[in-house]
Coordinates of all heavy atoms in Angstrom, one line a residue:
V218 N -0.1 9.0 8.5 CA -0.5 8.0 7.6 C -2.0 7.6 7.7 O -2.7 7.5 6.7 CB 0.4 6.7 7.8 CG1 -0.2 5.5 7.2 CG2 1.8 6.9 7.2
Y219 N -2.4 7.5 9.0 CA -3.8 7.2 9.2 C -4.7 8.3 8.7 O -5.8 8.1 8.2 CB -4.0 6.9 10.7 CG -3.2 5.8 11.3 CD1 -2.9 5.7 12.6 CD2 -2.8 4.7 10.4 CE1 -2.2 4.7 13.1 CE2 -2.0 3.7 10.9 CZ -1.7 3.7 12.3 OH -1.0 2.6 12.8
A220 N -4.3 9.6 9.0 CA -5.1 10.7 8.5 C -5.1 10.8 7.0 O -6.1 11.1 6.3 CB -4.6 12.0 9.1
D221 N -4.0 10.4 6.4 CA -3.9 10.4 4.9 C -4.9 9.5 4.2 O -5.6 9.9 3.3 CB -2.4 10.0 4.5 CG -1.4 11.0 4.9 OD1 -1.8 12.2 5.3 OD2 -0.2 10.7 4.9
V222 N -4.9 8.2 4.7 CA -5.7 7.2 4.0 C -7.2 7.6 4.2 O -8.0 7.4 3.3 CB -5.4 5.8 4.5 CG1 -5.7 5.6 5.9 CG2 -6.1 4.8 3.6
R223 N -7.5 8.1 5.4 CA -8.9 8.4 5.6 C -9.4 9.6 4.7 O -10.5 9.6 4.2 CB -9.1 8.8 7.1 CG -10.5 9.1 7.5 CD -10.7 9.1 9.0 NE -10.4 7.8 9.6 CZ -11.2 6.8 9.6 NH1 -12.5 6.9 9.1 NH2 -10.9 5.6 10.2
A224 N -8.5 10.6 4.6 CA -8.8 11.7 3.7 C -9.0 11.3 2.3 O -10.0 11.7 1.6 CB -7.7 12.8 3.8
V225 N -8.2 10.4 1.8 CA -8.3 9.9 0.4 C -9.6 9.1 0.2 O -10.3 9.2 -0.7 CB -7.1 9.2 -0.1 CG1 -7.2 8.7 -1.5 CG2 -5.8 10.0 0.0
Y226 N -9.8 8.2 1.2 CA -11.0 7.4 1.2 C -12.3 8.2 1.1 O -13.2 8.0 0.3 CB -11.0 6.5 2.4 CG -12.1 5.4 2.4 CD1 -11.9 4.2 1.9 CD2 -13.4 5.7 2.9 CE1 -12.9 3.2 2.0 CE2 -14.4 4.8 2.9 CZ -14.1 3.5 2.5 OH -15.1 2.6 2.4
E227 N -12.3 9.2 2.0 CA -13.5 10.1 2.0 C -13.7 10.9 0.7 O -14.8 11.2 0.2 CB -13.4 11.1 3.2 CG -13.6 10.3 4.5 CD -13.4 11.2 5.7 OE1 -13.0 12.3 5.6 OE2 -13.6 10.7 6.9
K228 N -12.5 11.3 0.1 CA -12.6 12.0 -1.2 C -13.1 11.1 -2.3 O -13.9 11.5 -3.1 CB -11.2 12.5 -1.6 CG -11.1 13.3 -2.9 CD -11.8 14.6 -2.7 CE -11.6 15.5 -3.9 NZ -12.3 16.8 -3.8
I229 N -12.8 9.8 -2.3 CA -13.3 8.9 -3.3 C -14.8 8.7 -3.0 O -15.6 8.6 -4.0 CB -12.6 7.5 -3.2 CG1 -11.1 7.7 -3.5 CG2 -13.2 6.5 -4.2 CD1 -10.2 6.5 -3.3
L230 N -15.2 8.6 -1.8 CA -16.7 8.5 -1.5 C -17.4 9.7 -2.1 O -18.5 9.5 -2.7 CB -16.9 8.5 0.0 CG -16.5 7.2 0.8 CD1 -16.8 7.4 2.2 CD2 -17.1 6.0 0.2
E231 N -16.8 10.9 -2.0 CA -17.4 12.1 -2.5 C -17.4 12.1 -4.0 O -18.5 12.4 -4.7 CB -16.6 13.3 -2.0 CG -17.1 14.6 -2.5 CD -16.1 15.7 -2.2 OE1 -15.6 15.7 -1.0 OE2 -15.9 16.6 -3.0
M232 N -16.3 11.7 -4.7 CA -16.2 11.7 -6.1 C -17.0 10.6 -6.8 O -17.5 10.7 -7.9 CB -14.8 11.6 -6.6 CG -13.9 12.8 -6.1 SD -12.3 12.8 -6.9 CE -11.6 11.3 -6.3
R233 N -17.1 9.4 -6.1 CA -17.7 8.2 -6.7 C -18.8 7.7 -5.8 O -18.7 6.7 -5.2 CB -16.6 7.1 -6.9 CG -15.4 7.6 -7.6 CD -15.6 8.0 -9.0 NE -16.1 7.0 -9.9 CZ -15.4 6.1 -10.6 NH1 -14.0 6.2 -10.5 NH2 -15.9 5.2 -11.3
P234 N -19.9 8.4 -5.7 CA -21.0 8.1 -4.8 C -21.7 6.7 -5.2 O -22.4 6.1 -4.4 CB -22.0 9.2 -4.9 CG -21.7 9.8 -6.3 CD -20.2 9.7 -6.5
D235 N -21.4 6.3 -6.4 CA -22.0 5.0 -6.9 C -21.1 3.8 -6.6 O -21.5 2.7 -7.0 CB -22.3 5.1 -8.4 CG -21.1 5.4 -9.2 OD1 -20.2 6.1 -8.7 OD2 -21.0 4.9 -10.3
K236 N -20.0 4.0 -6.0 CA -19.0 2.9 -5.9 C -18.8 2.5 -4.4 O -18.8 3.3 -3.5 CB -17.6 3.3 -6.5 CG -17.7 3.7 -8.0 CD -18.0 2.5 -8.9 CE -18.0 2.9 -10.3 NZ -18.3 1.8 -11.2
K237 N -18.4 1.2 -4.3 CA -17.9 0.7 -3.0 C -16.3 0.6 -3.2 O -15.8 0.7 -4.3 CB -18.4 -0.8 -2.8 CG -19.9 -0.9 -2.8 CD -20.6 -0.2 -1.7 CE -22.0 -0.6 -1.6 NZ -22.8 -0.4 -2.8
I238 N -15.6 0.6 -2.1 CA -14.2 0.7 -2.1 C -13.5 -0.6 -1.5 O -13.9 -1.0 -0.4 CB -13.7 1.9 -1.4 CG1 -14.3 3.2 -2.0 CG2 -12.1 2.0 -1.5 CD1 -14.0 4.5 -1.2
V239 N -12.5 -1.1 -2.2 CA -11.7 -2.2 -1.7 C -10.3 -1.5 -1.4 O -9.7 -0.9 -2.2 CB -11.5 -3.3 -2.7 CG1 -10.5 -4.3 -2.1 CG2 -12.8 -4.0 -2.9
V240 N -9.9 -1.6 -0.1 CA -8.6 -1.0 0.3 C -7.5 -2.0 0.3 O -7.7 -3.1 0.9 CB -8.7 -0.4 1.7 CG1 -7.4 0.2 2.1 CG2 -9.8 0.7 1.8
M241 N -6.4 -1.7 -0.4 CA -5.3 -2.7 -0.6 C -4.1 -2.0 0.0 O -3.7 -0.9 -0.4 CB -5.1 -3.0 -2.0 CG -4.0 -4.0 -2.3 SD -3.6 -4.2 -4.1 CE -5.2 -4.5 -4.7
G242 N -3.4 -2.7 1.0 CA -2.2 -2.2 1.6 C -1.0 -3.1 1.3 O -1.2 -4.4 1.3
Y243 N 0.2 -2.6 1.2 CA 1.4 -3.4 1.0 C 2.4 -2.9 2.0 O 2.7 -1.8 2.1 CB 1.9 -3.1 -0.5 CG 3.1 -3.8 -0.9 CD1 3.7 -4.9 -0.2 CD2 3.8 -3.3 -2.0 CE1 4.9 -5.5 -0.6 CE2 5.0 -3.9 -2.5 CZ 5.5 -5.0 -1.8 OH 6.7 -5.6 -2.2
S244 N 2.9 -3.9 2.8 CA 3.9 -3.6 3.8 C 3.4 -2.6 4.8 O 2.4 -2.8 5.4 CB 5.2 -3.2 3.1 OG 6.3 -3.1 4.0
I245 N 4.1 -1.5 5.0 CA 3.6 -0.5 5.9 C 2.2 0.1 5.5 O 1.4 0.5 6.4 CB 4.6 0.7 6.1 CG1 4.5 1.3 7.5 CG2 4.5 1.7 5.0 CD1 5.6 2.2 7.9
G246 N 1.9 0.0 4.2 CA 0.6 0.4 3.8 C -0.5 -0.5 4.4 O -1.7 -0.1 4.4
T247 N -0.2 -1.7 4.8 CA -1.2 -2.6 5.5 C -1.7 -2.0 6.8 O -2.8 -2.2 7.2 CB -0.7 -4.0 5.7 OG1 0.4 -4.0 6.6 CG2 -0.3 -4.6 4.4
T248 N -0.8 -1.2 7.5 CA -1.2 -0.6 8.7 C -2.2 0.5 8.5 O -3.1 0.7 9.3 CB 0.0 -0.1 9.5 OG1 0.6 1.1 8.8 CG2 1.1 -1.1 9.6
A249 N -2.1 1.2 7.4 CA -3.0 2.3 7.0 C -4.4 1.6 6.7 O -5.4 2.1 7.1 CB -2.5 3.1 5.9
A250 N -4.3 0.5 5.9 CA -5.5 -0.2 5.5 C -6.3 -0.7 6.7 O -7.5 -0.6 6.8 CB -5.2 -1.3 4.5
V251 N -5.5 -1.3 7.6 CA -6.2 -1.9 8.8 C -6.7 -0.8 9.7 O -7.9 -1.0 10.2 CB -5.1 -2.8 9.6 CG1 -5.7 -3.2 11.0 CG2 -4.8 -4.0 8.8
D252 N -6.0 0.2 9.9 CA -6.5 1.3 10.8 C -7.8 1.9 10.3 O -8.8 2.1 11.0 CB -5.5 2.4 10.9 CG -5.9 3.5 11.9 OD1 -5.7 3.3 13.1 OD2 -6.4 4.6 11.5
L253 N -7.9 2.1 9.0 CA -9.1 2.6 8.4 C -10.2 1.5 8.4 O -11.3 1.8 8.8 CB -8.8 3.0 6.9 CG -10.1 3.4 6.1 CD1 -10.6 4.7 6.5 CD2 -9.7 3.4 4.6
A254 N -9.9 0.3 8.0 CA -11.0 -0.7 7.9 C -11.5 -1.1 9.3 O -12.7 -1.5 9.4 CB -10.4 -1.9 7.2
A255 N -10.7 -1.0 10.3 CA -11.2 -1.3 11.7 C -12.3 -0.4 12.2 O -13.0 -0.8 13.1 CB -10.0 -1.3 12.6
T256 N -12.4 0.7 11.5 CA -13.6 1.6 11.9 C -14.8 1.4 11.0 O -15.8 2.0 11.2 CB -13.1 3.1 11.7 OG1 -12.9 3.4 10.3 CG2 -11.9 3.4 12.5
N257 N -14.7 0.4 10.1 CA -15.8 0.0 9.2 C -16.5 1.2 8.6 O -17.7 1.4 8.8 CB -16.8 -0.9 10.0 CG -16.1 -2.1 10.5 OD1 -15.7 -3.0 9.7 ND2 -16.1 -2.3 11.8
P258 N -15.7 1.9 7.8 CA -16.3 3.1 7.1 C -17.4 2.8 6.1 O -17.4 1.6 5.6 CB -15.1 3.8 6.5 CG -14.1 2.7 6.2 CD -14.3 1.7 7.4
D259 N -18.1 3.8 5.8 CA -19.2 3.6 4.8 C -18.7 3.1 3.5 O -17.6 3.5 3.0 CB -19.9 4.9 4.6 CG -21.2 4.8 3.8 OD1 -21.8 3.8 3.8 OD2 -21.5 5.8 3.0
R260 N -19.4 2.1 2.9 CA -19.1 1.6 1.6 C -17.7 0.8 1.4 O -17.2 0.8 0.4 CB -19.2 2.7 0.5 CG -20.7 3.1 0.2 CD -20.8 3.9 -1.0 NE -20.7 5.3 -0.7 CZ -20.2 6.3 -1.5 NH1 -19.7 5.9 -2.6 NH2 -20.2 7.5 -1.1
L261 N -17.2 0.3 2.5 CA -16.0 -0.5 2.5 C -16.4 -1.9 2.0 O -17.2 -2.6 2.7 CB -15.3 -0.6 3.8 CG -14.1 -1.4 3.9 CD1 -13.0 -0.9 3.0 CD2 -13.6 -1.6 5.3
A262 N -15.9 -2.4 0.9 CA -16.3 -3.7 0.3 C -15.4 -4.8 0.7 O -15.8 -6.0 0.7 CB -16.4 -3.5 -1.2
G263 N -14.1 -4.5 0.9 CA -13.1 -5.5 1.2 C -11.8 -4.9 1.5 O -11.5 -3.7 1.3

Side-chain angles (χ1 to χ4, degrees):
V218 164
Y219 300 155
D221 295 344
V222 67
R223 185 166 298 276
V225 179
Y226 187 93
E227 291 174 352
K228 184 67 174 179
I229 298 171
L230 290 181
E231 176 189 324
M232 295 189 302
R233 309 297 297 273
D235 59 326
K236 300 294 185 182
K237 307 293 193 300
I238 303 174
V239 174
V240 180
M241 183 188 308
Y243 177 17
S244 189
I245 207 170
T247 63
T248 67
V251 169
D252 185 79
L253 174 70
T256 65
N257 297 299
D259 187 33
R260 287 192 266 147
L261 177 66

